[in-house]
Amino acid sequence: LHDCIADLAMSAASQMAAAVPWRAVGLGALMLISGVGNFMSFWAMGQKISGYPMMLLYTYNGMYALVFLLLLVSRELLATMRAASFNPQVDVSGAKAIGQGNEGSCAPGANAGTLDPLLVRLCGNRKQHRFYLVMGLATGLSLELQQLANGKVNPDMQSILYQLYLPFSAMVASMYLRKRFGKWEILGGVLVLGGAVAVVLPAGVAEGNRLVWAFVYGLGALPLAMACVLQEEVFRQVDQTSVLQMSFWSTFYGILFNIATLPIAMIPNMVYEDGPVFPHGASFATLMEHQADGFRCLFGRQPLPHGCSPGAWLPVVECALSYGVNVYACMALVREVSAVTAVLLGSLLVPGTAVASAVPALLGLFGIGASQVMPVTWYVILGGLLCVSGIIAYHGDAFFGSAKTKAKGASCGDNDGNEDTDAGTSCSESSQESVQV
């Protein structure tokens, strides 16, 4: 009897281990670690260079976008030269991959080492690029709305409102990708939302909120959810889409949006950081001078402008690095599983950051003093447990579902490796006619 129980336990453990998508777990861990690092460095950045929120928004995004571009160009040039060395007749700038070359192809130009035209491998085809443009504008709009609401909404309330990212993602996936969510998915989403709220709600969120701007901040999660779901759609339509390519171009268009809308800051009391940046409004010349002051601070030009401290460049670089890794990991996770699952795992950032804030050694890496250490409270532990339980429950069919359900999920996964096979979507729905952007 003892041996029988042991065999059953080992068999159950083996089945659960086999059901765990370990690559997705690794990407989720990378996304969580980089997200915590981004939060810490963002806070440190605000202490070193205060009063320049709009300039910092497009600057640190531009830093990691430049790194993405350099990596993308280097990868494709090396891949092209390597392919040309095996086939001297290959035209490096205009070569075509075998069986590829038209926009309707199921796998046009994305992977390093293919022989698509170099420009296609760097930029994507027309269909991909339309998606990148919409993603970038949506992300830029989301960041802009949340930046404008900053200072007018309690930080803890911001953390709660940001969790609208999850139901918005599920709503957009349901409408755009026509996904259906079963009882396990709904239960998991509710637990994750409850866990994220439980981390910050007991600390108090009633003070320092303006109703209109709280609505604006919450609404900012909607275009971000749209961008995340569009990522899944691109990976599904063009299976070999490069995460690096998508990361650069979507970020690039987001930066252009943020720069183009910079004059909004000229409106009195529109942009805040520890108070209004321009309480009486500003002319365009004043706005440009203010942006220039921000860059003088970043490069340490003496005399340092108002709100600037020596060494301001370090937390800015740390923020760009951590946020860039976070963006890449999130997109790779969307490709590996689904947009909604990526958002679910991202919700662990709330309790994860609260735990990290209690470790002096981690705070010290970002130049944050011991006086800023926040002890881990019972509601942080409760919130973390609820979030983890919610993520497990969301994939409940994989762990607790019937053999028929698992077989069906595996069958779908064989056909579309980049889809979340536990998200309640049937195989026939997975191959639905693609929607054009």
Side-chain angles (χ1 to χ4, degrees):
L1 179 61
H2 180 272
D3 292 340
C4 183
I5 294 175
D7 289 341
L8 287 173
M10 290 295 294
S11 177
S14 299
Q15 289 179 2
M16 291 189 68
V20 174
W22 292 110
R23 179 178 171 84
V25 170
L27 288 170
L30 180 61
M31 183 176 69
L32 178 60
I33 293 171
S34 59
V36 171
N38 174 244
F39 178 86
M40 299 293 186
S41 56
F42 188 86
W43 188 91
M45 181 173 66
Q47 304 304 303
K48 286 284 189 177
I49 177 169
S50 177
Y52 305 91
M54 303 298 282
M55 168 265 180
L56 290 173
L57 181 61
Y58 62 76
T59 298
Y60 72 77
N61 280 281
M63 284 181 175
Y64 78 77
L66 179 60
V67 173
F68 283 162
L69 177 62
L70 293 176
L71 290 174
L72 178 62
V73 171
S74 300
R75 186 188 70 178
E76 297 303 338
L77 286 176
L78 288 173
T80 302
M81 289 188 291
R82 188 165 55 247
S85 67
F86 287 110
N87 184 2
Q89 297 181 347
V90 169
D91 180 358
V92 171
S93 63
K96 296 277 186 179
I98 297 174
Q100 298 180 1
N102 59 69
E103 187 184 70
S105 172
C106 65
N111 275 1
T114 65
L115 297 183
D116 291 306
L118 183 60
L119 186 61
V120 172
R121 287 185 282 125
L122 293 177
C123 303
N125 58 38
R126 287 190 296 273
K127 177 189 289 186
Q128 288 171 297
H129 219 78
R130 287 195 293 268
F131 275 112
Y132 297 159
L133 174 61
V134 176
M135 279 184 235
L137 295 179
T139 304
L141 175 61
S142 176
L143 293 174
E144 191 90 14
L145 291 175
Q146 292 174 354
Q147 180 65 70
L148 292 176
N150 190 41
K152 304 155 192 170
V153 181
N154 182 302
D156 290 325
M157 177 61 80
Q158 291 183 19
S159 296
I160 293 177
L161 292 172
Y162 186 77
Q163 302 313 311
L164 290 172
Y165 187 19
L166 175 56
F168 281 157
S169 296
M171 180 185 71
V172 175
S174 178
M175 296 173 61
Y176 186 74
L177 302 180
R178 298 186 180 181
K179 285 193 172 184
R180 293 177 300 172
F181 298 94
K183 59 183 180 181
W184 285 111
E185 290 80 22
I186 295 173
L187 174 62
V190 171
L191 287 174
V192 168
L193 277 175
V197 171
V199 172
V200 294
L201 189 60
V205 296
E207 297 181 358
N209 297 309
R210 300 185 189 179
L211 181 60
V212 172
W213 286 108
F215 176 79
V216 169
Y217 192 94
L219 188 63
L222 179 57
L224 192 61
M226 294 171 60
C228 192
V229 172
L230 285 177
Q231 293 169 20
E232 182 177 349
E233 177 71 353
V234 175
F235 287 131
R236 184 171 64 175
Q237 288 196 20
V238 187
D239 185 60
Q240 295 185 26
T241 296
S242 164
V243 176
L244 198 57
Q245 181 191 90
M246 179 187 288
S247 301
F248 167 71
W249 285 109
S250 59
T251 302
F252 173 74
Y253 287 121
I255 293 169
L256 291 184
F257 180 88
N258 293 141
I259 293 176
T261 55
L262 193 60
I264 293 177
M266 298 163 57
I267 301 174
N269 297 316
M270 180 60 73
V271 179
Y272 270 62
E273 185 172 2
D274 298 329
V277 175
F278 297 118
H280 306 294
S283 65
F284 187 76
T286 301
L287 177 64
M288 291 298 100
E289 183 179 354
H290 182 261
Q291 301 301 297
D293 283 343
F295 284 106
R296 277 195 288 270
C297 176
L298 183 62
F299 292 108
R301 297 287 299 274
Q302 299 291 337
L304 295 177
H306 175 73
C308 180
S309 301
W313 65 271
L314 182 57
V316 176
V317 172
E318 289 175 338
C319 186
L321 176 63
S322 57
Y323 191 53
V325 173
N326 185 260
V327 168
Y328 184 91
C330 183
M331 287 188 179
L333 191 60
V334 170
R335 175 169 188 155
E336 190 69 22
V337 281
S338 74
V340 175
T341 302
V343 176
L344 274 170
L345 292 174
S347 297
L348 286 172
L349 179 60
V350 178
T353 300
V355 172
S357 299
V359 183
L362 288 178
L363 297 181
L365 294 176
F366 300 94
I368 303 175
S371 61
Q372 301 296 328
V373 172
M374 301 293 292
V376 176
T377 59
W378 65 267
Y379 47 83
V380 169
I381 297 174
L382 174 62
L385 291 174
L386 286 174
C387 285
V388 173
S389 300
I391 292 169
I392 295 174
Y394 184 83
H395 292 87
D397 281 334
F399 297 115
F400 313 113
S402 64
K404 182 179 179 180
T405 303
K406 294 178 183 178
K408 183 178 179 180
S411 176
C412 290
D414 291 339
N415 293 328
D416 288 291
N418 60 315
E419 286 198 45
D420 183 0
T421 57
D422 301 319
T425 307
S426 68
C427 295
S428 60
E429 289 171 324
S430 298
S431 58
Q432 63 173 310
E433 181 179 354
S434 60
V435 182
Q436 298 293 328
V437 172

